[in-house]
Amino acid sequence: MTSPPNLLPESVVHQRFLASRLKRWSIVCLIVFLTTVFICVWHLQVLTDLEWTAARLAAKSGPLRGLVAEQQQMTHDIEAMRERESWLTDSDSSQVLQLLGIISSATQKNNGRISVQTLNMTSIDRPVTRSPDDDDDDDDDDDDDDDDAQEQRIQLDLNGIAVNDLAVASFVAFLRESDVFESVELKSSVSQIFDNHETRGYEVTCIY
C-alpha cells in the first residue's frame, strides 16, 4: 500500500520539520537545565552541612584552644619563676635587699602617692660594652672572642599605680639618683580608674 502523496508546499513541510526539531531540542534543553539545577541544589546542601559541621567542631575545640593557651602561659610563668629563683640563689642576698630597699624608699618618699603592685626580676645577657682604652690593650686578642663576650645584667620590671604624673616622675627620678641602676626607663604611664578615682598606671624598667 503506497502512502498518499504530500501535496503541501515545500516551504510548509520545511517549517513543520524545523518546528518538530525545535520541540525535541527544547525538551532536551529543559531536561539538562532541570538536572543542572538539581545538582546545584544538592551541592549547596552538602556545603551547608559541611559548614555546620565545621562550626560545631570549632565550638567544641574552643575550650581546648583556651586550655592550650593557658598551659603555655603557665609554662612561661614557671620558667620565669625558675629564672628568678636561679638568680636569687646565685646572687648575693645583700644585693637583693639593697634593691628592694631602694624601691621601698622611692615609694615612701612620695608619701603614699605611688605604689608598686608587681616586681619581676629577670636575668639578661648582652654584649660586653668595651671602652676604647680596653680595645687598644687587647689588640692581640681574637676579635671573634670580643664579639661573643657577654655580660649578665638584672632587669627589674615595676608595675603599679600613682596619684598623678608628678608622683611617677618623682619615683623615677629617685631611682635614677640612687646611682645603683645602670638605667631607669619609664615604659608607659596611662590614665586608669582605681577605686572610683582617676589614677596613673605606670611601668618602669630598671637595669642593674
Side-chain angles (χ1 to χ4, degrees), residues 33-184:
F33 173 76
L34 294 177
T35 304
T36 304
V37 171
F38 173 77
I39 293 175
C40 290
V41 171
W42 178 74
H43 278 287
L44 179 62
Q45 183 64 35
V46 172
L47 290 176
T48 303
D49 294 340
L50 290 176
E51 290 177 354
W52 181 81
T53 303
R56 186 179 60 180
L57 292 176
K60 289 184 178 180
S61 62
L64 180 59
R65 289 196 298 268
L67 291 176
V68 172
E70 184 178 353
Q71 180 184 7
Q72 292 176 349
Q73 182 62 36
M74 292 179 62
T75 302
H76 179 270
D77 294 341
I78 291 174
E79 291 178 353
M81 291 176 62
R82 288 178 177 175
E83 185 176 1
R84 289 195 296 269
E85 181 181 358
S86 176
W87 176 78
L88 291 174
T89 302
D90 297 337
S91 61
D92 187 0
S93 59
S94 61
Q95 294 179 349
V96 179
L97 294 177
Q98 180 187 16
L99 297 178
L100 295 178
I102 293 172
I103 296 172
S104 177
S105 299
T107 57
Q108 291 177 1
K109 182 182 178 181
N110 284 276
N111 299 322
R113 295 181 301 160
I114 191 170
S115 65
V116 178
Q117 294 180 319
T118 60
L119 187 156
N120 294 322
M121 293 184 181
T122 55
S123 175
I124 59 175
D125 294 327
R126 67 178 186 182
V128 176
T129 303
R130 303 179 64 87
S131 63
D133 294 338
D134 294 338
D135 293 338
D136 294 338
D137 295 337
D138 298 340
D139 287 338
D140 296 334
D141 294 342
D142 189 5
D143 294 338
D144 294 337
D145 294 339
D146 293 341
D147 294 337
D148 295 337
Q150 299 284 325
E151 61 181 357
Q152 189 178 56
R153 288 290 184 265
I154 302 302
Q155 177 175 310
L156 281 73
D157 296 316
L158 309 176
N159 295 274
I161 58 174
V163 175
N164 48 36
D165 285 329
L166 182 61
V168 176
S170 176
F171 178 72
V172 173
F174 184 90
L175 295 177
R176 289 173 177 168
E177 294 171 358
S178 66
D179 292 332
V180 173
F181 300 103
E182 180 178 309
S183 65
V184 177

